[in-house]
Amino acid sequence: MTVFAVIPLLGQDDFNPSSPSEPGAPPTKLVLLAEPADGGTLYGGGKYVSETNISISAYAKTNFKFAAWTDTKGNIISINSSYIICKGTDNDTLVAHFDFNPGSPAEPVPGSNLVYYRLDVEAGYGGSASGGGRYQCGKQVRINATCNANFEFAGWTNDEGTLVSMEKNYSYTTNAFPETLTANFKFNPNSPTEPSDPILRHNITVDCTEGGTAESNATVVLSGNKAYLTANPNPGYLFIGWYLNGVLYTKDLSFTYVMGNEDVSFEARFEFNPEAPSEPSQPSDKQYALYLMSEITFPGTQIDCPLYLTSLAPLHDMTFRLTFPEEAQPDWNTLQLDDKAQGYAVEVNETDSANVWQLTMTGGTVTAGNTKLLNIKLNVPETTACGTSYQVKINQVSVTEENGNTVTASTRNGRVYVYKLGDNNGDGEINVTDKMNTVLHVVGMTTKDFIREVADVNEDGTLDVSDAMGVISILLDE
């Protein structure tokens, strides 16, 4: 009881919403709201008589970070997640603001370092150029110019016509804006062929897709002579292979070709972002990620299971599979789309695999950024074993880009952690230590490994002395 008596003396703040009441005035409400609603858990709301010192606390959920307490007009009251206020005579409302801040970043991490800009390379008359693609700012990429017969290289120029380099094979540093570089050539015949000469020479044409450079040491080769071809992928691209007249010839970056009796055309092909998964189509560029949260609860409850999307570009239709454990089964009647995902029609189908459902979302659009797509309630039975966690899995993702391409996305699974109600230190037992942990938190003193989600023993949404007494009741019942 000595500990409880010091509560009004700790951590007072300047917040004093109204003047003290007259003696005998009835209690008034203190309403606590979270923004966003699923960003965290709040303690301290209720009805209080004026001049009461009230300890309020905001605890951020997984992947959220507490920002500030404000009043309903947006005025900042405190940047401390836990503090003590003095209650006035009126009904008051405080808002706890949380920022989305994944502690284990989903792929991709939004930010300027993941913005890609176009680098286009063009060739003037007399040759070809390679090396264009999509790159982040500050990347060193190779661009290459190849001269036709009787032409020589005259330099690279930018959009303004300024000379950039006189090197045919050039390492260029990309900028934070779209740009075009042009390879220029000039006619300069070395020793023109006499008309009477027999046709023993054949052209070897080298081209490539965006994402790298390709070149040959010769463009006109005598029959039976050799040409050396080499390809170089730029950052973020994977070399797929050399194709001769549209057919895969070799997967080697460099090779020697013996000229036959006819002209030949080789193409080096590159694929953007080799690290991204290739299901269900060619990888995009790791710019989409779907992920689930980790939640803490106790047996006999129904908990939220939100699904989030991180995207660097707008997306349309999408499909994915969710796998749930026996200990946390979904109630599909509770499925709810977030405001940013309104417009989608959602179809849920059970698959041939146990506890695996496929969700198809069609007809809507989500903009770039961090979005909560939907939320499902999970039922955790009374018989669920405590002191362990159960995985909720997402896989087989397919999303549709604005251009109609269907690509995959990165994923991160979630977990449901289950503890006994009252076991706020997670040691598997309910004892006096759990009672003291609650008391210390009520007076604003933090303890290690305190599990707030199972500390509210009477489940009234407020962490207070009654919860400490509730732990004692549990001990007596046992």
Side-chain angles (χ1 to χ4, degrees), residues 32-52:
L32 303 181
L33 302 176
E35 174 57 42
D38 57 354
T41 304
L42 311 179
Y43 296 101
K47 288 186 176 181
Y48 302 93
V49 296
S50 65
E51 300 186 56
T52 300

Side-chain angles (χ1 to χ4, degrees), residues 15 31 56 67 70 75 77 89 165 199 286 289 300 311 317 429 460 465-466:
F15 183 71
V31 178
I56 64 172
T70 71
N75 299 313
I77 304 303
T89 58
S165 175
I199 303 176
K286 267 189 177 177
S311 171
D317 295 353
E429 298 180 359
D460 64 353
V465 175
S466 63

Side-chain angles (χ1 to χ4, degrees), residues 50-247:
S50 65
E51 300 186 56
T52 300
N53 289 318
I54 307 161
S55 176
I56 64 172
S57 300
Y59 298 102
K61 289 188 177 180
T62 304
N63 292 320
F64 284 90
K65 180 180 180 181
F66 175 78
W69 287 100
T70 71
D71 59 21
T72 54
K73 297 180 180 179
N75 299 313
I76 294 178
I77 304 303
S78 177
I79 59 173
N80 296 318
S81 59
S82 298
Y83 78 111
I84 293 177
I85 69 170
C86 182
K87 187 69 175 74
T89 58
D90 298 330
N91 292 330
D92 301 302
T93 300
L94 293 179
V95 183
H97 296 268
F98 300 91
D99 294 329
F100 181 72
N101 183 30
S104 171
E107 291 184 27
V109 179
S112 59
N113 64 321
L114 284 182
V115 176
Y116 292 83
Y117 300 93
R118 288 289 316 175
L119 171 64
D120 292 314
V121 294
E122 298 179 349
Y125 181 72
S128 59
S130 58
R134 291 178 286 172
Y135 306 107
Q136 298 174 36
C137 175
K139 293 295 183 181
Q140 295 284 322
V141 301
R142 291 168 61 94
I143 57 176
N144 182 72
T146 302
C147 303
N148 291 341
N150 296 323
F151 283 83
E152 67 179 26
F153 182 63
W156 291 99
T157 54
N158 59 20
D159 295 292
E160 290 77 35
T162 303
L163 181 65
V164 174
S165 175
M166 288 297 296
E167 298 178 27
K168 287 195 299 183
N169 197 333
Y170 178 52
S171 181
Y172 182 71
T173 303
T174 56
N175 294 300
F177 51 81
E179 51 191 326
T180 300
L181 296 178
T182 302
N184 301 282
F185 307 91
K186 62 182 180 180
F187 184 66
N188 184 21
N190 295 316
S191 56
T193 305
E194 295 295 329
S196 59
D197 286 351
I199 303 176
L200 301 175
R201 302 171 182 269
H202 300 284
N203 296 319
I204 180 168
T205 303
V206 175
D207 199 1
C208 71
T209 61
E210 69 174 32
T213 60
E215 56 186 308
S216 170
N217 67 335
T219 56
V220 179
V221 184
L222 287 171
S223 296
N225 282 7
K226 297 178 180 179
Y228 183 73
L229 287 74
T230 184
N232 294 286
N234 278 326
Y237 285 83
L238 174 70
F239 177 68
I240 301 302
W242 282 100
Y243 287 73
L244 173 60
N245 300 322
V247 178

Side-chain angles (χ1 to χ4, degrees), residues 218-435:
T219 56
V220 179
V221 184
L222 287 171
S223 296
N225 282 7
K226 297 178 180 179
Y228 183 73
L229 287 74
T230 184
N232 294 286
N234 278 326
Y237 285 83
L238 174 70
F239 177 68
I240 301 302
W242 282 100
Y243 287 73
L244 173 60
N245 300 322
V247 178
L248 180 64
Y249 184 80
T250 179
K251 292 185 177 181
D252 295 333
L253 281 169
S254 303
F255 70 99
T256 300
Y257 179 74
V258 179
M259 180 59 72
N261 297 318
E262 59 183 6
D263 295 345
V264 292
S265 176
F266 282 96
E267 181 186 48
R269 297 183 182 179
F270 304 94
E271 181 180 283
F272 186 55
N273 200 357
E275 292 81 16
S278 56
E279 180 195 12
S281 66
Q282 299 299 322
S284 55
D285 54 336
K286 267 189 177 177
Q287 61 178 348
Y288 312 120
L290 283 165
Y291 51 96
L292 297 158
M293 295 294 194
S294 293
E295 302 289 340
I296 299 174
T297 190
F298 50 90
T301 57
Q302 188 177 70
I303 61 171
D304 290 325
C305 179
L307 174 63
Y308 284 85
L309 166 70
T310 294
S311 171
L312 296 182
L315 290 176
H316 299 296
D317 295 353
M318 56 189 76
T319 63
F320 48 87
R321 288 191 175 187
L322 295 175
T323 304
F324 298 92
E326 290 287 351
E327 296 80 3
Q329 286 291 295
D331 179 356
W332 293 112
N333 292 323
T334 66
L335 190 151
Q336 186 174 12
L337 291 175
D338 192 68
D339 291 342
K340 292 183 179 179
Q342 294 301 323
Y344 280 101
V346 183
E347 181 180 346
V348 181
N349 292 299
E350 193 168 4
T351 68
D352 294 334
S353 302
N355 302 320
V356 180
W357 283 265
Q358 178 160 309
L359 278 72
T360 303
M361 300 176 62
T362 57
T365 301
V366 287
T367 57
N370 294 313
T371 303
K372 185 174 81 170
L373 285 179
L374 52 84
N375 185 70
I376 312 162
K377 298 284 187 180
L378 303 184
N379 294 314
V380 181
E382 291 278 4
T383 55
T384 302
C386 297
T388 187
S389 65
Y390 305 93
Q391 187 179 66
V392 181
K393 185 178 180 181
I394 179 171
N395 63 357
Q396 296 193 24
V397 177
S398 170
V399 296
T400 304
E401 299 176 308
E402 282 195 303
N403 59 11
N405 289 340
T406 300
V407 298
T408 189
S410 301
T411 60
R412 187 176 66 194
N413 298 323
R415 283 191 174 274
V416 177
Y417 292 83
V418 182
Y419 297 94
K420 293 180 180 178
L421 181 62
D423 181 20
N424 57 49
N425 63 358
D427 64 357
E429 298 180 359
I430 301 175
N431 50 36
V432 176
T433 302
D434 299 302
K435 174 205 167 188

